[in-house]
Amino acid sequence: MDHAAEENAQPPFEVTNRRVLAIAVPMTLAFLTTPLLGLVDTAVVGQLGNPALLGGLAAGAIVFDVVFNTFNSLRSGTTGLVAQAFGGGETREEQAVLLRSLTLAVGLGIAIIFMGPLISAAGVWFIDPEARVAEAMRTYIAIRILAAPLTLMNYAILGYVLGRGEGATGLLLQILLNGANILLSFYLGLTLGWGLEGVAWGTVGGELLAVLGGGVILLRRFAGQPHPRREHVFDIAAMLRMIALNGDIMTRSFTLLAAYALFTRQGAQLGTITLAANAVLMNFFFIAGYFLDGFATAAEQLAGRAVGARQWTAFRRAVFLSGLWGLVLALGATAAFYLFGETLIALVTTAPAVRALALEYLPWAALIAVSGFLAFEMDGVFIGATWSRDMRNMMLLSLVAYVASLLPLGMAYGNHGLWASMHIWLIVRGLSLLAILPYRARQTFG
């Protein structure tokens, strides 16, 4: 392969273990603050002693998980595009990408607010809670949805920061966001006695403070830099590229949610105890996922930067090192789950039947981080390189393989077959992307 073109624009940058960890470790810590936030909100509402309010909070949170996870593509897409501009030394383009992303964030956020009644009605219809829970759910959604433009703006700002490889700044912004949210939820929900409404307004306030904090950081940074012209920022081709990129990543997110929903549905067909045991064990995978996401973020930035700089050596090192660290982490998580899995299961549930069944399927759950590490890393590489169409297509292909294996294995082996299908899904995701990586790399680097 002729890679002479890689020396064109920017001096070569070295991808080292330290550079990978400088992005991955702070972002892993940042991602871990997210479940803490949900725990605090639950604790605040739980102090009110009203099960209906607690149910309304949980149901409303599910609705926003679906809505905002769908639009989290704005963060990933911004990271990839900024990383490429950063790698190519295009300062104005970095700012232009951020401004395009913020424009999309505001537009989409306002659209979500106007769709609020429909989103609320759809959520109540799907979850079908009792009347008191439904009322609390509607109240929570009506308030929290006002933060939609702010939430998406924070995605755009975080995407810009991560695109430049500034993991520590990303961690700072997430601490500000979730820390303010936690403090405001306590103050408004308990101290002022606003209850569930206070928790919802606390989320709105936390998002606002994070936007203001991120805005101050960026304005100070841009103060001495050349700025892009308006026609550059709102270039039709560039806007369409960003929209297409976000659309591909959004499709990938929908497919991901569909796979998890299908796993849950099939588990429910095997009985309530099996459904509960699977829910307990999937927490292990989600915990490992927060760590793997940190290294996927490192892959996004470093692969994207290498593509922008047209530096094959840096790209190859980014793929290798992010994959190596992801594997090391996955093996460590698997060992920890094997060693401490029984204790973790006991902490999550006190039901003897659920504990016993979860322990039976623990080996499947413990190994899922190993099966999935390549899928996480390849997603990061392909997002950073903005090869989003391939990522979308391989995700759809893996879903087909998942469904094709789920039905016969589930019928033949019950819950063991269900877990085996989950592993097949993850492995196909990773290997299918890895298989086309050399072809895309030749196209990009020559």
Side-chain angles (χ1 to χ4, degrees):
M1 185 184 295
D2 179 13
H3 302 298
E6 74 177 58
E7 307 299 333
N8 283 351
Q10 295 296 305
F13 72 96
E14 187 178 2
V15 177
T16 62
N17 289 311
R18 175 176 292 184
R19 197 182 291 273
V20 171
L21 295 175
I23 301 170
V25 172
M27 289 318 301
T28 295
L29 296 175
F31 293 142
L32 287 172
T33 64
T34 301
L36 175 63
L37 174 61
L39 180 63
V40 169
D41 284 351
T42 301
V44 170
V45 175
Q47 296 301 307
L48 304 176
N50 187 335
L53 295 181
L54 198 58
L57 171 68
I62 290 172
V63 171
F64 285 107
D65 283 346
V66 173
V67 172
F68 290 134
N69 279 339
T70 297
F71 290 103
N72 193 41
S73 58
L74 200 61
R75 198 284 299 164
S76 301
T78 303
T79 297
L81 293 171
V82 169
Q84 291 187 18
F86 180 56
E90 301 172 10
T91 304
R92 286 188 176 89
E93 179 61 15
E94 289 180 39
Q95 294 182 42
V97 170
L98 172 62
L99 292 172
R100 290 176 202 133
S101 187
L102 288 171
T103 301
L104 280 177
V106 172
L108 291 170
I110 292 173
I112 290 172
I113 291 176
F114 278 109
M115 291 175 62
L118 179 61
I119 292 171
S120 180
V124 171
W125 170 80
F126 182 77
I127 296 174
D128 192 25
E130 65 175 59
R132 292 181 304 159
V133 174
E135 181 183 357
M137 180 179 172
R138 292 189 191 97
T139 299
Y140 179 77
I141 291 174
I143 297 171
R144 185 175 169 185
I145 206 164
L146 298 175
L150 300 170
T151 300
L152 299 188
M153 289 174 70
N154 279 318
Y155 287 166
I157 293 170
L158 181 61
Y160 169 83
V161 167
L162 295 180
R164 290 181 53 85
E166 298 168 355
T169 303
L171 173 60
L172 176 64
L173 290 174
Q174 291 302 104
I175 289 175
L176 173 61
L177 169 64
N178 292 326
N181 194 331
I182 288 170
L183 292 175
L184 286 171
S185 293
F186 268 116
Y187 180 69
L188 299 176
L190 293 180
T191 304
L192 295 187
W194 291 9
L196 179 66
E197 291 90 339
V199 170
W201 281 114
T203 299
V204 176
E207 297 284 356
L208 176 59
L209 288 174
V211 167
L212 294 175
V216 168
I217 291 172
L218 296 181
L219 287 174
R220 292 184 64 180
R221 169 176 296 169
F222 295 155
Q225 295 183 3
H227 304 307
R229 298 187 305 273
R230 180 174 297 183
E231 55 268 28
H232 179 193
V233 173
F234 298 107
D235 176 75
I236 297 299
M239 287 293 292
L240 290 175
R241 183 191 180 199
M242 175 172 278
I243 291 170
L245 175 62
N246 279 277
D248 290 337
I249 300 174
M250 192 180 299
T251 301
R252 172 253 187 196
S253 298
F254 269 127
T255 308
L256 198 68
L257 290 172
Y260 290 140
L262 184 58
F263 180 85
T264 302
R265 181 190 179 280
Q266 293 302 108
Q269 306 305 306
L270 299 173
T272 301
I273 301 300
T274 301
L275 176 64
N278 285 348
V280 170
L281 292 174
M282 280 302 289
N283 283 310
F284 292 9
F285 178 50
F286 293 145
I287 291 170
Y290 288 120
F291 289 92
L292 292 173
D293 270 336
F295 289 96
T297 301
E300 285 179 35
Q301 197 279 333
L302 294 171
R305 182 179 175 185
V307 167
R310 294 296 186 266
Q311 293 178 14
W312 161 251
T313 300
F315 180 83
R316 185 178 59 190
R317 288 279 293 172
V319 173
F320 174 73
L321 288 181
S322 60
L324 178 63
W325 279 104
L327 176 59
V328 169
L329 178 64
L331 291 171
T334 294
F337 292 154
Y338 268 118
L339 291 173
F340 306 108
E342 186 172 0
T343 301
L344 292 172
I345 291 169
L347 288 174
V348 174
T349 178
T350 58
V354 176
R355 282 185 179 181
L357 198 60
L359 195 58
E360 179 182 345
Y361 296 109
L362 176 61
W364 286 111
L367 281 169
I368 207 165
V370 175
S371 297
F373 89 94
L374 185 61
F376 278 81
E377 189 223 352
M378 286 293 105
D379 277 355
V381 170
F382 276 68
I383 288 172
T386 60
W387 301 331
S388 59
R389 184 174 299 179
D390 293 319
M391 184 183 66
R392 178 201 67 193
N393 292 343
M394 294 306 102
M395 175 64 85
L396 292 171
L397 173 66
S398 67
L399 182 65
V400 171
Y402 177 48
V403 173
S405 64
L406 180 65
L407 298 178
L409 289 177
M411 291 179 62
Y413 301 106
N415 203 41
H416 286 290
L418 187 60
W419 278 100
S421 298
M422 176 67 75
H423 284 269
I424 289 171
W425 173 59
L426 291 167
I427 292 169
V428 171
R429 274 178 60 194
L431 290 181
S432 62
L433 289 172
L434 182 63
I436 60 176
L437 179 64
Y439 171 70
R440 285 295 175 220
R442 284 194 298 271
Q443 282 189 321
T444 300
F445 296 99

